Amino acid sequence: MYTLTGLKLKNPTILAAGVLGTTGASLCRVAREGGAGAVVTKSIGPAPKTGHSNPSMVRLDCGFLNAMGLPNPSYPGFLQELEFAKNNSSVPVIASIFGGNPAEFAEVAEGLLSANPDAFELNVSCPHAEGYGAAVGSNPCLVEAVTAAVKDVVNVPVWVKLTPNVADIRSIGTAAESGGADAVVAINTLKGMAIDIESGYPVLGNRSGGLSGKAVKPVAVKCVYDLYTALEIPVIGVGGISSWEDAVEMIMAGAAAVQVGSAVYDRVDIFSEIGAGIEAFLERKGYSDIKKIIGLAHEMV
Amino acid sequence: MLPLNATITQITEESPMVRTFFFDPGFEGLEPGQFVMVWIRGVDEIPMGLSRNNSITVQKVGEATSKLFELKEGDSFGLRGPFGKGFTLPVKGEKILVIAGGVGAAPLSPYAEAAFVAGAEVHTILGARSTGDLLFEGRFDALGKVSVSTDDGSKGVKGFVTDILKSLDVAAYDRIAVCGPEIMMSSVFRLLEERHVLEKAEFSLHRYFKCGIGVCGACCIDQSGLRVCKDGPVFTGVQLIGSELGKYSRDASGRRVKI
Ligand SMILES: Cc1cc2nc3c(=O)[nH]c(=O)nc-3n(C[C@H](O)[C@H](O)[C@H](O)COP(=O)(O)OP(=O)(O)OC[C@H]3O[C@@H](n4cnc5c(N)ncnc54)[C@H](O)[C@@H]3O)c2cc1C
Ligand SMILES: Cc1cc2nc3c(=O)[nH]c(=O)nc-3n(C[C@H](O)[C@H](O)[C@H](O)COP(=O)(O)O)c2cc1C
Ligand code: FES
């Protein structure tokens, strides 16, 4: 057992937001068959959104590009899915939410409370939804206000998910911490785009989108490394993790746990594989506990 | 993979609302029942079953398919795939029943052909609204027996494919492959469930696809949480017991919509 902001996880791997998180049943599948220690839902907002037109996700040689556009059925429409996940997953279920301002964030959080999510994750980091996500998350004052607004209305841990598309991610992390965040999650996708040279059309329906997968891992490791020094609260690492080695690297940079998104492309049971790999590594190296390697890279001078 | 550029080599009018678009280059080693994501540039990208290794057969229903119908031979679209899991091929000597409704005949015709080549005995139930809407009747005819139903009775049995199915001894078949409108598939499902032959049956499902590659979760079905785009689109009857089939699906926002 492993504790993260008070939540009990059977291993430190968590399903990332927006990946297989549209329905309660698929969240349960990732917990059951996938072996995830916890799961995060698709980001849910104040009103139904169909998202951007397709193509909304393509695989590249180095990773993935997506511009889903925060499709979601709104918080009333998602309640039954969240309830299903809570009742059937047997792992902590974290509700990812978004809004355009502090009041909207608080409204969505309150609206989902009746389903008893184990924590909230605030998406202030989606790079391709106008007025939402990174539009909020690049402004430290707004991040602090949004965090405080949600903290005001809920009694469960609040995590804040950060964007790497800023000059200094530490200032945003600090703002979340000042707002009362229990943890930060880094990183969301990096701005990116692909163009079809046969026609000249940008490939994504939204023209540009967010890069995830292998290509972003070094960026994520650096963000986590920087946040670990700047903050008191735990940092949850995400971005390009697809093996236990990637997870250990992220933990050594300072992550208290890891989230995995795009790598479910290869196999849904990636979580149990990573969890087991971390265990075996700790044993082989003689570490009594995962805590012994969190931020280890900072001590190597 | 980024979308490949596929050039339209030929367009065949199957019925007023259905056209087959042949394209180049085609796919090698296709599993019948797999699908492609068809990118009509500047409009949308939509899933389509492959009706041959170099063709899709499209019913005009909305914006993207209407734009596709404006394209001419020599024009091109983007293609990603083939994706997903197709139908299980029979072995020599097996008897198979193919149940195709409407444009559902598209992925089933290459399946029936592959089954025939493998040495299976193929019986097809082909249903459509009217004679003019019967899809690929000639292709199925060349493989074995075809039983036809039309809603208006203009050809074959007046009624639905299930009216033919009811009169058959389903236990006599080794495999049953089904694709068509969801209402049709769910009536077929119930009938096969009553006759205790679900373990022989496979159904090709439709759900709203965003990524098409198994990451986003838009297409997951209840209660299993299986992804139609990656774990399907073809599922065994057993996988669908107690599922949402015939009850509801989800729209682009993830909201439940009654079937
Ligand atoms: C695995 C699979 C195979 C398919 N094979 C065929 C085929 O061989 N021939 C054929 O004519 N049709 C096929 N379809 C259906 C086809 O994808 C939709 O009819 C098409 O997307 C309609 O697009 P539109 O823009 O013209 O219609 P719209 O006006 O946008 O929508 C009409 C309806 O089409 C469906 N649809 C729209 N976009 C999508 C999407 N991204 N994913 C899934 N459904 C969508 C929805 O049910 C919607 O209500 C298949 C669907 C799936 C999932
Ligand atoms: C298809 C897709 C949808 C996503 N949707 C969301 C979302 O709704 N909310 C969010 O905070 N992050 C979302 N993300 C970002 C991921 O949670 C994650 O931060 C990012 O993909 C990096 O991790 P990865 O490399 O393991 O995928 C999405 C990513 C992908 C690929
Ligand atoms: S459409 Fe994205 S998982 Fe199936």
Side-chain angles (χ1 to χ4, degrees), chain A residues 54, chain B residues 34-40 44-50 56-59 61 64-65 68 79-80 83 205-212 219 228-229 233:
Chain A
N54 282 344
Chain B
Q34 286 186 302
F35 69 94
V36 287
M37 294 298 287
V38 181
W39 178 32
I40 300 107
D44 205 354
E45 185 193 41
I46 53 176
M48 284 290 153
L50 285 156
I56 51 172
T57 300
V58 181
Q59 182 168 25
V61 294
T65 47
L68 186 58
L79 263 192
R80 293 194 290 150
F83 294 134
L205 262 55
H206 288 180
R207 280 297 174 266
Y208 195 88
F209 287 4
K210 280 197 180 294
C211 72
C219 67
V228 173
C229 73

Side-chain angles (χ1 to χ4, degrees), chain A residues 16-19 42-43 57 66 68 70 96 121 123 161 187-189 212-213 216 238-241 259-262, chain B residues 215-216:
Chain A
V19 173
K42 176 77 206 161
S43 292
M57 185 170 186
N66 92 80
M68 309 291 299
L70 295 174
S96 172
E121 182 179 288
N123 176 357
K161 183 158 175 193
I187 55 174
N188 207 313
T189 51
S212 64
V216 309
V238 49
I241 296 173
Q259 293 187 350
V260 178
S262 308
Chain B
V215 177
C216 73

Side-chain angles (χ1 to χ4, degrees), chain B residues 29-91:
Chain B
L30 182 73
E31 221 179 89
Q34 286 186 302
F35 69 94
V36 287
M37 294 298 287
V38 181
W39 178 32
I40 300 107
R41 296 177 180 115
V43 185
D44 205 354
E45 185 193 41
I46 53 176
M48 284 290 153
L50 285 156
S51 57
R52 292 181 187 78
N53 61 8
N54 66 339
S55 76
I56 51 172
T57 300
V58 181
Q59 182 168 25
K60 188 171 159 182
V61 294
E63 197 192 2
T65 47
S66 300
K67 270 281 187 282
L68 186 58
F69 269 50
E70 288 172 18
L71 298 184
K72 312 210 168 18
E73 288 169 15
D75 288 345
S76 66
F77 45 69
L79 263 192
R80 293 194 290 150
F83 294 134
K85 191 186 145 299
F87 293 100
T88 312
L89 275 183
V91 296

Side-chain angles (χ1 to χ4, degrees), chain A residues 24-35 268, chain B residues 224-227 231:
Chain A
S26 66
L27 289 163
C28 291
R29 181 177 174 221
V30 173
R32 188 181 62 243
E33 276 171 51
V268 170
Chain B
S224 58
L226 291 169
R227 299 159 294 183
D231 305 305

